[in-house]
Amino acid sequence: MDIEIWGLINRSFKNATIYQPIEEAIVNSIHAIQEKGNSDGKISIKFLRAPKYAEDNSGKESSSHVIWVEVEDNGIWFTDENTKSFQTVFSKYKNRIWGIGFWRISYLKFFETIKIESFYESGGISYERSWNFIPADNIFWSLQYRKNTWLKKHGTKITFKDIKIWEFEVDFEVIVRRLVEKLLWFFVFGEKLPKIEFIDSDWSKKISFKDFIDTTEKIQILKDKETKVPIKKELFEIKMVKIYQSTYSNSVNLCAHNRPVKKISMKELIPLFDEHFFDENQNRFIIQVYVSSKFLDGKVNEERNDFADIPKNWQQQSIFPENEISLELILYSVKNFIIEALNKEYITRKEKRDRDINKFFNENRYYDDIKKEVDFEKFGQVVSDLEIEKVINEIIFKKKQIVHKKINSFTQSKHPKISQEELEKIMKEIGLTQKTDLAKYVVWRKLVLDLMKKTLEYDDQGKFTKEEVLHEIIFPRYKDNTNSKYDDNALWVLDEKLNFEKYICSEKYLKTDDKDGKDRIDIWVFWESVAFRWENKKATPITVFEFKRPWKTSFINPSEKEDPIEQVTRYLNWLRDGKYRMENGIEIDATENTPAYWYIVCTIDASVEKWLRREKGCKYLPDWEWFIYFNSEANIIIYIMSWKKLIQDAQERNKIFFKRLWIE
């Protein structure tokens, strides 16, 4: 069976980075030295950089990126057997050390060309075997095998060049740290390692693998945190490593034969450990946990990327549960160990999380009934209100789905039967979900009123808000209730009855043939008749609201074009004279006796109050905070109220709801 090499490359290593092939080459070198059995094993990883060049006229040079990597060792060479294994995908040659004969394909994922050179001695004669490993039909391009009489050396050198994707970091120490982290498991499990050196040829720097761990203190194996945990009849060894300035996150590594197989984010086990840790000097670090056991050794799959025959949880256990170990049980034990080992940090984060959660529920008491349904353990150390709201909404949504399903099942049954207990449970769930929906609507009302109050204040330039801003809050301008959603308006601020309007339009020209009737009225409201039949259209009430900019009182001056009372009177007369039609062309049927409610909302200071009383003959209404104007000849009643009065009345109507929800 042939294998299409490009298909294999493209379908593999989706989560890998450019460090993957270098790590694989180093691991192979370690194995080569171990196989040879030499005590003076040495591996050098050399990085070569591109030439520097001036970025601009300032002469400042660019950072020089790594473009070439060499991995060289003095282990066993590419003998005939090793070469044949290299040519075979999923070779079984390394099965004894749990190699799967596949990861070298990652070389081709990130580099255009890989040069492999191997020098060895056989029968007292030196040989050289070399080739270019490239992603082509014949991946062993330019294969050479010859005697080498001029160079006496043993070992192998792999040269990676022509990077395709994902460059290395620029800083040499960062590159070394990334690779050390990937090879850390050798050190963690105490394997005897050869001398490993990282060399930056262009920067003339050299870092030893062991020295990096021992002297920089950037990676610390926490010997005092090691333990052995019995799980049923098996013993699991747990080791913990602290890594400073890592680009990775806290994680748990389930290992087999002392090699990481399955990485699990610590956030999945302990959400409180979703963030990096900080020491007493505020230096950032992560925690890597390694778990090993003979049990895991026996369960690893052939690809060495997961475990076989381990049930995920108790529901998938075998018929012998007393002897069965599930993945859930292993992780539960590891989780408890981590919490105990990092107990001080765990308590600190938990207290902070609990404070944030309690603060949210204290400020949103209407969620008290749903609070007990929230699993707080799923939250990380930093909890936003948005996260909590999301979880609550998910709970409410699921409850609604369950209730709907139960009710539909009952109502669609030919012989419906439901117990009193089940009925009470359904009604309780309905009450809970509807109460939260109502509560959120009331909170929205409170926010709208707070926003309106704020808009009546000075802005940063010492100016007051234009009426258009308040208008948009109450009802979107240039729209009607045929193209505006119910939730897009706050008509209840004006009058609760407006929630039941038949037709409403805002700042829109009604159809007219009269060139004088082109004024746009702030808000028109047409009601369904209550006292008379709907067919008696002349009895259908009409309500009009006219808004004036807060703190603008110039309309009382004689030099003004017209005052608001004259304005709304003219509107009514136009209606009665039949000059307006609805947008669909239907005439508005109104007479002298058509019920009409006219409201002017403006600022009423001392000058406006005097003008209303002396010049317009308006009368105070009982609470002395708004006025009424009556023109017997025109058969019109107009109410004039202040913005302050409008908001105060809306607050009073909703006050009891605000108090019940602890938001007042």
Side-chain angles (χ1 to χ4, degrees), residues 613-632:
R613 286 190 298 104
R614 292 182 178 180
E615 299 188 30
K616 295 299 176 182
C618 297
K619 303 294 183 182
Y620 278 117
L621 285 171
D623 60 6
W624 289 77
E625 293 191 32
W626 56 326
F627 292 81
I628 184 171
Y629 169 85
F630 177 65
N631 184 332
S632 57

mmCIF file with all atom_site columns, all heavy atoms in Angstrom, residues 613-632:
data_model
loop_
_atom_site.group_PDB
_atom_site.id
_atom_site.type_symbol
_atom_site.label_atom_id
_atom_site.label_alt_id
_atom_site.label_comp_id
_atom_site.label_asym_id
_atom_site.label_entity_id
_atom_site.label_seq_id
_atom_site.pdbx_PDB_ins_code
_atom_site.Cartn_x
_atom_site.Cartn_y
_atom_site.Cartn_z
_atom_site.occupancy
_atom_site.B_iso_or_equiv
_atom_site.pdbx_formal_charge
_atom_site.auth_seq_id
_atom_site.auth_comp_id
_atom_site.auth_asym_id
_atom_site.auth_atom_id
_atom_site.pdbx_PDB_model_num
ATOM 1   N N   . ARG A 1 613 ? -49.315 80.698 32.935 1.00 0.00 ? 613 ARG A N   1
ATOM 2   C CA  . ARG A 1 613 ? -50.457 81.181 33.721 1.00 0.00 ? 613 ARG A CA  1
ATOM 3   C C   . ARG A 1 613 ? -51.002 82.498 33.166 1.00 0.00 ? 613 ARG A C   1
ATOM 4   O O   . ARG A 1 613 ? -52.200 82.642 32.957 1.00 0.00 ? 613 ARG A O   1
ATOM 5   C CB  . ARG A 1 613 ? -50.044 81.372 35.179 1.00 0.00 ? 613 ARG A CB  1
ATOM 6   C CG  . ARG A 1 613 ? -49.878 80.076 35.944 1.00 0.00 ? 613 ARG A CG  1
ATOM 7   C CD  . ARG A 1 613 ? -49.705 80.300 37.448 1.00 0.00 ? 613 ARG A CD  1
ATOM 8   N NE  . ARG A 1 613 ? -48.504 81.066 37.755 1.00 0.00 ? 613 ARG A NE  1
ATOM 9   C CZ  . ARG A 1 613 ? -48.500 82.350 38.094 1.00 0.00 ? 613 ARG A CZ  1
ATOM 10  N NH1 . ARG A 1 613 ? -49.633 83.036 38.149 1.00 0.00 ? 613 ARG A NH1 1
ATOM 11  N NH2 . ARG A 1 613 ? -47.366 82.973 38.380 1.00 0.00 ? 613 ARG A NH2 1
ATOM 12  N N   . ARG A 1 614 ? -50.116 83.481 32.895 1.00 0.00 ? 614 ARG A N   1
ATOM 13  C CA  . ARG A 1 614 ? -50.561 84.822 32.547 1.00 0.00 ? 614 ARG A CA  1
ATOM 14  C C   . ARG A 1 614 ? -50.972 84.959 31.079 1.00 0.00 ? 614 ARG A C   1
ATOM 15  O O   . ARG A 1 614 ? -51.971 85.612 30.776 1.00 0.00 ? 614 ARG A O   1
ATOM 16  C CB  . ARG A 1 614 ? -49.453 85.833 32.855 1.00 0.00 ? 614 ARG A CB  1
ATOM 17  C CG  . ARG A 1 614 ? -49.179 85.999 34.345 1.00 0.00 ? 614 ARG A CG  1
ATOM 18  C CD  . ARG A 1 614 ? -48.112 87.061 34.551 1.00 0.00 ? 614 ARG A CD  1
ATOM 19  N NE  . ARG A 1 614 ? -47.845 87.291 35.967 1.00 0.00 ? 614 ARG A NE  1
ATOM 20  C CZ  . ARG A 1 614 ? -46.948 88.173 36.431 1.00 0.00 ? 614 ARG A CZ  1
ATOM 21  N NH1 . ARG A 1 614 ? -46.249 88.898 35.559 1.00 0.00 ? 614 ARG A NH1 1
ATOM 22  N NH2 . ARG A 1 614 ? -46.763 88.323 37.716 1.00 0.00 ? 614 ARG A NH2 1
ATOM 23  N N   . GLU A 1 615 ? -50.184 84.363 30.183 1.00 0.00 ? 615 GLU A N   1
ATOM 24  C CA  . GLU A 1 615 ? -50.433 84.597 28.763 1.00 0.00 ? 615 GLU A CA  1
ATOM 25  C C   . GLU A 1 615 ? -51.246 83.489 28.102 1.00 0.00 ? 615 GLU A C   1
ATOM 26  O O   . GLU A 1 615 ? -51.911 83.725 27.095 1.00 0.00 ? 615 GLU A O   1
ATOM 27  C CB  . GLU A 1 615 ? -49.100 84.766 28.023 1.00 0.00 ? 615 GLU A CB  1
ATOM 28  C CG  . GLU A 1 615 ? -48.295 85.962 28.536 1.00 0.00 ? 615 GLU A CG  1
ATOM 29  C CD  . GLU A 1 615 ? -47.080 86.242 27.677 1.00 0.00 ? 615 GLU A CD  1
ATOM 30  O OE1 . GLU A 1 615 ? -47.143 85.952 26.464 1.00 0.00 ? 615 GLU A OE1 1
ATOM 31  O OE2 . GLU A 1 615 ? -46.063 86.746 28.210 1.00 0.00 ? 615 GLU A OE2 1
ATOM 32  N N   . LYS A 1 616 ? -51.177 82.268 28.655 1.00 0.00 ? 616 LYS A N   1
ATOM 33  C CA  . LYS A 1 616 ? -51.895 81.159 28.040 1.00 0.00 ? 616 LYS A CA  1
ATOM 34  C C   . LYS A 1 616 ? -53.107 80.710 28.847 1.00 0.00 ? 616 LYS A C   1
ATOM 35  O O   . LYS A 1 616 ? -53.898 79.882 28.380 1.00 0.00 ? 616 LYS A O   1
ATOM 36  C CB  . LYS A 1 616 ? -50.951 79.958 27.827 1.00 0.00 ? 616 LYS A CB  1
ATOM 37  C CG  . LYS A 1 616 ? -49.833 80.245 26.841 1.00 0.00 ? 616 LYS A CG  1
ATOM 38  C CD  . LYS A 1 616 ? -50.418 80.584 25.471 1.00 0.00 ? 616 LYS A CD  1
ATOM 39  C CE  . LYS A 1 616 ? -49.338 80.974 24.476 1.00 0.00 ? 616 LYS A CE  1
ATOM 40  N NZ  . LYS A 1 616 ? -49.905 81.337 23.173 1.00 0.00 ? 616 LYS A NZ  1
ATOM 41  N N   . GLY A 1 617 ? -53.247 81.266 30.047 1.00 0.00 ? 617 GLY A N   1
ATOM 42  C CA  . GLY A 1 617 ? -54.412 80.934 30.862 1.00 0.00 ? 617 GLY A CA  1
ATOM 43  C C   . GLY A 1 617 ? -54.422 79.489 31.334 1.00 0.00 ? 617 GLY A C   1
ATOM 44  O O   . GLY A 1 617 ? -55.504 78.916 31.542 1.00 0.00 ? 617 GLY A O   1
ATOM 45  N N   . CYS A 1 618 ? -53.264 78.883 31.488 1.00 0.00 ? 618 CYS A N   1
ATOM 46  C CA  . CYS A 1 618 ? -53.182 77.491 31.950 1.00 0.00 ? 618 CYS A CA  1
ATOM 47  C C   . CYS A 1 618 ? -53.438 77.414 33.443 1.00 0.00 ? 618 CYS A C   1
ATOM 48  O O   . CYS A 1 618 ? -53.163 78.351 34.199 1.00 0.00 ? 618 CYS A O   1
ATOM 49  C CB  . CYS A 1 618 ? -51.807 76.906 31.634 1.00 0.00 ? 618 CYS A CB  1
ATOM 50  S SG  . CYS A 1 618 ? -51.450 76.830 29.871 1.00 0.00 ? 618 CYS A SG  1
ATOM 51  N N   . LYS A 1 619 ? -53.931 76.278 33.888 1.00 0.00 ? 619 LYS A N   1
ATOM 52  C CA  . LYS A 1 619 ? -54.232 76.052 35.292 1.00 0.00 ? 619 LYS A CA  1
ATOM 53  C C   . LYS A 1 619 ? -53.315 74.959 35.846 1.00 0.00 ? 619 LYS A C   1
ATOM 54  O O   . LYS A 1 619 ? -52.975 74.001 35.156 1.00 0.00 ? 619 LYS A O   1
ATOM 55  C CB  . LYS A 1 619 ? -55.688 75.618 35.472 1.00 0.00 ? 619 LYS A CB  1
ATOM 56  C CG  . LYS A 1 619 ? -56.713 76.606 34.916 1.00 0.00 ? 619 LYS A CG  1
ATOM 57  C CD  . LYS A 1 619 ? -56.698 77.912 35.690 1.00 0.00 ? 619 LYS A CD  1
ATOM 58  C CE  . LYS A 1 619 ? -57.775 78.864 35.181 1.00 0.00 ? 619 LYS A CE  1
ATOM 59  N NZ  . LYS A 1 619 ? -57.751 80.172 35.877 1.00 0.00 ? 619 LYS A NZ  1
ATOM 60  N N   . TYR A 1 620 ? -52.951 75.118 37.118 1.00 0.00 ? 620 TYR A N   1
ATOM 61  C CA  . TYR A 1 620 ? -52.208 74.070 37.798 1.00 0.00 ? 620 TYR A CA  1
ATOM 62  C C   . TYR A 1 620 ? -53.086 72.838 37.967 1.00 0.00 ? 620 TYR A C   1
ATOM 63  O O   . TYR A 1 620 ? -54.279 72.938 38.259 1.00 0.00 ? 620 TYR A O   1
ATOM 64  C CB  . TYR A 1 620 ? -51.771 74.519 39.194 1.00 0.00 ? 620 TYR A CB  1
ATOM 65  C CG  . TYR A 1 620 ? -50.523 75.363 39.239 1.00 0.00 ? 620 TYR A CG  1
ATOM 66  C CD1 . TYR A 1 620 ? -50.567 76.673 39.711 1.00 0.00 ? 620 TYR A CD1 1
ATOM 67  C CD2 . TYR A 1 620 ? -49.302 74.820 38.860 1.00 0.00 ? 620 TYR A CD2 1
ATOM 68  C CE1 . TYR A 1 620 ? -49.414 77.446 39.783 1.00 0.00 ? 620 TYR A CE1 1
ATOM 69  C CE2 . TYR A 1 620 ? -48.148 75.593 38.929 1.00 0.00 ? 620 TYR A CE2 1
ATOM 70  C CZ  . TYR A 1 620 ? -48.208 76.898 39.386 1.00 0.00 ? 620 TYR A CZ  1
ATOM 71  O OH  . TYR A 1 620 ? -47.075 77.660 39.451 1.00 0.00 ? 620 TYR A OH  1
ATOM 72  N N   . LEU A 1 621 ? -52.506 71.668 37.821 1.00 0.00 ? 621 LEU A N   1
ATOM 73  C CA  . LEU A 1 621 ? -53.178 70.431 38.207 1.00 0.00 ? 621 LEU A CA  1
ATOM 74  C C   . LEU A 1 621 ? -52.920 70.200 39.694 1.00 0.00 ? 621 LEU A C   1
ATOM 75  O O   . LEU A 1 621 ? -52.043 70.836 40.293 1.00 0.00 ? 621 LEU A O   1
ATOM 76  C CB  . LEU A 1 621 ? -52.674 69.268 37.355 1.00 0.00 ? 621 LEU A CB  1
ATOM 77  C CG  . LEU A 1 621 ? -53.243 69.278 35.919 1.00 0.00 ? 621 LEU A CG  1
ATOM 78  C CD1 . LEU A 1 621 ? -52.556 68.243 35.068 1.00 0.00 ? 621 LEU A CD1 1
ATOM 79  C CD2 . LEU A 1 621 ? -54.735 69.053 35.932 1.00 0.00 ? 621 LEU A CD2 1
ATOM 80  N N   . PRO A 1 622 ? -53.645 69.298 40.341 1.00 0.00 ? 622 PRO A N   1
ATOM 81  C CA  . PRO A 1 622 ? -53.619 69.181 41.805 1.00 0.00 ? 622 PRO A CA  1
ATOM 82  C C   . PRO A 1 622 ? -52.245 69.096 42.442 1.00 0.00 ? 622 PRO A C   1
ATOM 83  O O   . PRO A 1 622 ? -52.048 69.610 43.543 1.00 0.00 ? 622 PRO A O   1
ATOM 84  C CB  . PRO A 1 622 ? -54.432 67.904 42.053 1.00 0.00 ? 622 PRO A CB  1
ATOM 85  C CG  . PRO A 1 622 ? -55.396 67.865 40.921 1.00 0.00 ? 622 PRO A CG  1
ATOM 86  C CD  . PRO A 1 622 ? -54.665 68.411 39.745 1.00 0.00 ? 622 PRO A CD  1
ATOM 87  N N   . ASP A 1 623 ? -51.270 68.414 41.817 1.00 0.00 ? 623 ASP A N   1
ATOM 88  C CA  . ASP A 1 623 ? -49.960 68.285 42.473 1.00 0.00 ? 623 ASP A CA  1
ATOM 89  C C   . ASP A 1 623 ? -49.077 69.500 42.231 1.00 0.00 ? 623 ASP A C   1
ATOM 90  O O   . ASP A 1 623 ? -47.939 69.541 42.668 1.00 0.00 ? 623 ASP A O   1
ATOM 91  C CB  . ASP A 1 623 ? -49.242 67.009 42.034 1.00 0.00 ? 623 ASP A CB  1
ATOM 92  C CG  . ASP A 1 623 ? -48.989 66.979 40.528 1.00 0.00 ? 623 ASP A CG  1
ATOM 93  O OD1 . ASP A 1 623 ? -49.274 67.986 39.860 1.00 0.00 ? 623 ASP A OD1 1
ATOM 94  O OD2 . ASP A 1 623 ? -48.520 65.938 40.040 1.00 0.00 ? 623 ASP A OD2 1
ATOM 95  N N   . TRP A 1 624 ? -49.574 70.512 41.500 1.00 0.00 ? 624 TRP A N   1
ATOM 96  C CA  . TRP A 1 624 ? -48.878 71.776 41.272 1.00 0.00 ? 624 TRP A CA  1
ATOM 97  C C   . TRP A 1 624 ? -47.545 71.590 40.526 1.00 0.00 ? 624 TRP A C   1
ATOM 98  O O   . TRP A 1 624 ? -46.653 72.407 40.621 1.00 0.00 ? 624 TRP A O   1
ATOM 99  C CB  . TRP A 1 624 ? -48.612 72.510 42.600 1.00 0.00 ? 624 TRP A CB  1
ATOM 100 C CG  . TRP A 1 624 ? -49.858 73.055 43.218 1.00 0.00 ? 624 TRP A CG  1
ATOM 101 C CD1 . TRP A 1 624 ? -50.803 72.350 43.888 1.00 0.00 ? 624 TRP A CD1 1
ATOM 102 C CD2 . TRP A 1 624 ? -50.309 74.412 43.195 1.00 0.00 ? 624 TRP A CD2 1
ATOM 103 N NE1 . TRP A 1 624 ? -51.827 73.156 44.305 1.00 0.00 ? 624 TRP A NE1 1
ATOM 104 C CE2 . TRP A 1 624 ? -51.548 74.454 43.895 1.00 0.00 ? 624 TRP A CE2 1
ATOM 105 C CE3 . TRP A 1 624 ? -49.809 75.613 42.661 1.00 0.00 ? 624 TRP A CE3 1
ATOM 106 C CZ2 . TRP A 1 624 ? -52.275 75.610 44.062 1.00 0.00 ? 624 TRP A CZ2 1
ATOM 107 C CZ3 . TRP A 1 624 ? -50.534 76.772 42.856 1.00 0.00 ? 624 TRP A CZ3 1
ATOM 108 C CH2 . TRP A 1 624 ? -51.749 76.754 43.543 1.00 0.00 ? 624 TRP A CH2 1
ATOM 109 N N   . GLU A 1 625 ? -47.408 70.492 39.790 1.00 0.00 ? 625 GLU A N   1
ATOM 110 C CA  . GLU A 1 625 ? -46.163 70.256 39.061 1.00 0.00 ? 625 GLU A CA  1
ATOM 111 C C   . GLU A 1 625 ? -46.373 70.185 37.556 1.00 0.00 ? 625 GLU A C   1
ATOM 112 O O   . GLU A 1 625 ? -45.426 69.989 36.806 1.00 0.00 ? 625 GLU A O   1
ATOM 113 C CB  . GLU A 1 625 ? -45.486 68.970 39.552 1.00 0.00 ? 625 GLU A CB  1
ATOM 114 C CG  . GLU A 1 625 ? -44.976 69.077 40.982 1.00 0.00 ? 625 GLU A CG  1
ATOM 115 C CD  . GLU A 1 625 ? -44.083 67.912 41.358 1.00 0.00 ? 625 GLU A CD  1
ATOM 116 O OE1 . GLU A 1 625 ? -43.385 67.388 40.469 1.00 0.00 ? 625 GLU A OE1 1
ATOM 117 O OE2 . GLU A 1 625 ? -44.090 67.517 42.532 1.00 0.00 ? 625 GLU A OE2 1
ATOM 118 N N   . TRP A 1 626 ? -47.625 70.297 37.106 1.00 0.00 ? 626 TRP A N   1
ATOM 119 C CA  . TRP A 1 626 ? -47.861 70.394 35.682 1.00 0.00 ? 626 TRP A CA  1
ATOM 120 C C   . TRP A 1 626 ? -49.150 71.167 35.431 1.00 0.00 ? 626 TRP A C   1
ATOM 121 O O   . TRP A 1 626 ? -49.924 71.430 36.345 1.00 0.00 ? 626 TRP A O   1
ATOM 122 C CB  . TRP A 1 626 ? -47.828 69.039 34.991 1.00 0.00 ? 626 TRP A CB  1
ATOM 123 C CG  . TRP A 1 626 ? -48.756 67.974 35.513 1.00 0.00 ? 626 TRP A CG  1
ATOM 124 C CD1 . TRP A 1 626 ? -49.146 67.758 36.786 1.00 0.00 ? 626 TRP A CD1 1
ATOM 125 C CD2 . TRP A 1 626 ? -49.391 66.964 34.722 1.00 0.00 ? 626 TRP A CD2 1
ATOM 126 N NE1 . TRP A 1 626 ? -49.976 66.695 36.880 1.00 0.00 ? 626 TRP A NE1 1
ATOM 127 C CE2 . TRP A 1 626 ? -50.140 66.166 35.617 1.00 0.00 ? 626 TRP A CE2 1
ATOM 128 C CE3 . TRP A 1 626 ? -49.398 66.644 33.372 1.00 0.00 ? 626 TRP A CE3 1
ATOM 129 C CZ2 . TRP A 1 626 ? -50.900 65.084 35.198 1.00 0.00 ? 626 TRP A CZ2 1
ATOM 130 C CZ3 . TRP A 1 626 ? -50.142 65.556 32.960 1.00 0.00 ? 626 TRP A CZ3 1
ATOM 131 C CH2 . TRP A 1 626 ? -50.881 64.786 33.867 1.00 0.00 ? 626 TRP A CH2 1
ATOM 132 N N   . PHE A 1 627 ? -49.345 71.562 34.161 1.00 0.00 ? 627 PHE A N   1
ATOM 133 C CA  . PHE A 1 627 ? -50.429 72.477 33.828 1.00 0.00 ? 627 PHE A CA  1
ATOM 134 C C   . PHE A 1 627 ? -51.375 71.831 32.827 1.00 0.00 ? 627 PHE A C   1
ATOM 135 O O   . PHE A 1 627 ? -51.023 70.897 32.102 1.00 0.00 ? 627 PHE A O   1
ATOM 136 C CB  . PHE A 1 627 ? -49.859 73.762 33.211 1.00 0.00 ? 627 PHE A CB  1
ATOM 137 C CG  . PHE A 1 627 ? -49.070 74.604 34.171 1.00 0.00 ? 627 PHE A CG  1
ATOM 138 C CD1 . PHE A 1 627 ? -47.740 74.301 34.452 1.00 0.00 ? 627 PHE A CD1 1
ATOM 139 C CD2 . PHE A 1 627 ? -49.650 75.695 34.799 1.00 0.00 ? 627 PHE A CD2 1
ATOM 140 C CE1 . PHE A 1 627 ? -47.016 75.075 35.326 1.00 0.00 ? 627 PHE A CE1 1
ATOM 141 C CE2 . PHE A 1 627 ? -48.930 76.480 35.681 1.00 0.00 ? 627 PHE A CE2 1
ATOM 142 C CZ  . PHE A 1 627 ? -47.606 76.171 35.946 1.00 0.00 ? 627 PHE A CZ  1
ATOM 143 N N   . ILE A 1 628 ? -52.609 72.428 32.791 1.00 0.00 ? 628 ILE A N   1
ATOM 144 C CA  . ILE A 1 628 ? -53.591 72.006 31.813 1.00 0.00 ? 628 ILE A CA  1
ATOM 145 C C   . ILE A 1 628 ? -54.078 73.245 31.066 1.00 0.00 ? 628 ILE A C   1
ATOM 146 O O   . ILE A 1 628 ? -54.308 74.305 31.656 1.00 0.00 ? 628 ILE A O   1
ATOM 147 C CB  . ILE A 1 628 ? -54.770 71.268 32.474 1.00 0.00 ? 628 ILE A CB  1
ATOM 148 C CG1 . ILE A 1 628 ? -55.738 70.754 31.400 1.00 0.00 ? 628 ILE A CG1 1
ATOM 149 C CG2 . ILE A 1 628 ? -55.470 72.134 33.506 1.00 0.00 ? 628 ILE A CG2 1
ATOM 150 C CD1 . ILE A 1 628 ? -56.812 69.830 31.954 1.00 0.00 ? 628 ILE A CD1 1
ATOM 151 N N   . TYR A 1 629 ? -54.198 73.103 29.763 1.00 0.00 ? 629 TYR A N   1
ATOM 152 C CA  . TYR A 1 629 ? -54.680 74.190 28.916 1.00 0.00 ? 629 TYR A CA  1
ATOM 153 C C   . TYR A 1 629 ? -55.970 73.722 28.239 1.00 0.00 ? 629 TYR A C   1
ATOM 154 O O   . TYR A 1 629 ? -56.015 72.634 27.653 1.00 0.00 ? 629 TYR A O   1
ATOM 155 C CB  . TYR A 1 629 ? -53.626 74.526 27.855 1.00 0.00 ? 629 TYR A CB  1
ATOM 156 C CG  . TYR A 1 629 ? -54.111 75.457 26.769 1.00 0.00 ? 629 TYR A CG  1
ATOM 157 C CD1 . TYR A 1 629 ? -54.081 76.839 26.947 1.00 0.00 ? 629 TYR A CD1 1
ATOM 158 C CD2 . TYR A 1 629 ? -54.595 74.958 25.556 1.00 0.00 ? 629 TYR A CD2 1
ATOM 159 C CE1 . TYR A 1 629 ? -54.528 77.696 25.943 1.00 0.00 ? 629 TYR A CE1 1
ATOM 160 C CE2 . TYR A 1 629 ? -55.041 75.799 24.554 1.00 0.00 ? 629 TYR A CE2 1
ATOM 161 C CZ  . TYR A 1 629 ? -55.006 77.173 24.755 1.00 0.00 ? 629 TYR A CZ  1
ATOM 162 O OH  . TYR A 1 629 ? -55.448 78.012 23.765 1.00 0.00 ? 629 TYR A OH  1
ATOM 163 N N   . PHE A 1 630 ? -57.005 74.554 28.313 1.00 0.00 ? 630 PHE A N   1
ATOM 164 C CA  . PHE A 1 630 ? -58.284 74.197 27.703 1.00 0.00 ? 630 PHE A CA  1
ATOM 165 C C   . PHE A 1 630 ? -58.754 75.340 26.820 1.00 0.00 ? 630 PHE A C   1
ATOM 166 O O   . PHE A 1 630 ? -58.849 76.483 27.256 1.00 0.00 ? 630 PHE A O   1
ATOM 167 C CB  . PHE A 1 630 ? -59.336 73.902 28.769 1.00 0.00 ? 630 PHE A CB  1
ATOM 168 C CG  . PHE A 1 630 ? -60.692 73.605 28.184 1.00 0.00 ? 630 PHE A CG  1
ATOM 169 C CD1 . PHE A 1 630 ? -60.901 72.475 27.395 1.00 0.00 ? 630 PHE A CD1 1
ATOM 170 C CD2 . PHE A 1 630 ? -61.767 74.465 28.408 1.00 0.00 ? 630 PHE A CD2 1
ATOM 171 C CE1 . PHE A 1 630 ? -62.147 72.203 26.854 1.00 0.00 ? 630 PHE A CE1 1
ATOM 172 C CE2 . PHE A 1 630 ? -63.014 74.197 27.865 1.00 0.00 ? 630 PHE A CE2 1
ATOM 173 C CZ  . PHE A 1 630 ? -63.204 73.064 27.091 1.00 0.00 ? 630 PHE A CZ  1
ATOM 174 N N   . ASN A 1 631 ? -59.034 74.980 25.552 1.00 0.00 ? 631 ASN A N   1
ATOM 175 C CA  . ASN A 1 631 ? -59.556 75.950 24.592 1.00 0.00 ? 631 ASN A CA  1
ATOM 176 C C   . ASN A 1 631 ? -60.949 75.467 24.200 1.00 0.00 ? 631 ASN A C   1
ATOM 177 O O   . ASN A 1 631 ? -61.093 74.520 23.425 1.00 0.00 ? 631 ASN A O   1
ATOM 178 C CB  . ASN A 1 631 ? -58.633 76.030 23.371 1.00 0.00 ? 631 ASN A CB  1
ATOM 179 C CG  . ASN A 1 631 ? -59.074 77.093 22.380 1.00 0.00 ? 631 ASN A CG  1
ATOM 180 O OD1 . ASN A 1 631 ? -60.264 77.421 22.286 1.00 0.00 ? 631 ASN A OD1 1
ATOM 181 N ND2 . ASN A 1 631 ? -58.118 77.618 21.626 1.00 0.00 ? 631 ASN A ND2 1
ATOM 182 N N   . SER A 1 632 ? -61.978 76.120 24.761 1.00 0.00 ? 632 SER A N   1
ATOM 183 C CA  . SER A 1 632 ? -63.349 75.661 24.542 1.00 0.00 ? 632 SER A CA  1
ATOM 184 C C   . SER A 1 632 ? -63.771 75.828 23.084 1.00 0.00 ? 632 SER A C   1
ATOM 185 O O   . SER A 1 632 ? -64.542 75.024 22.554 1.00 0.00 ? 632 SER A O   1
ATOM 186 C CB  . SER A 1 632 ? -64.317 76.431 25.453 1.00 0.00 ? 632 SER A CB  1
ATOM 187 O OG  . SER A 1 632 ? -64.213 77.826 25.219 1.00 0.00 ? 632 SER A OG  1
#
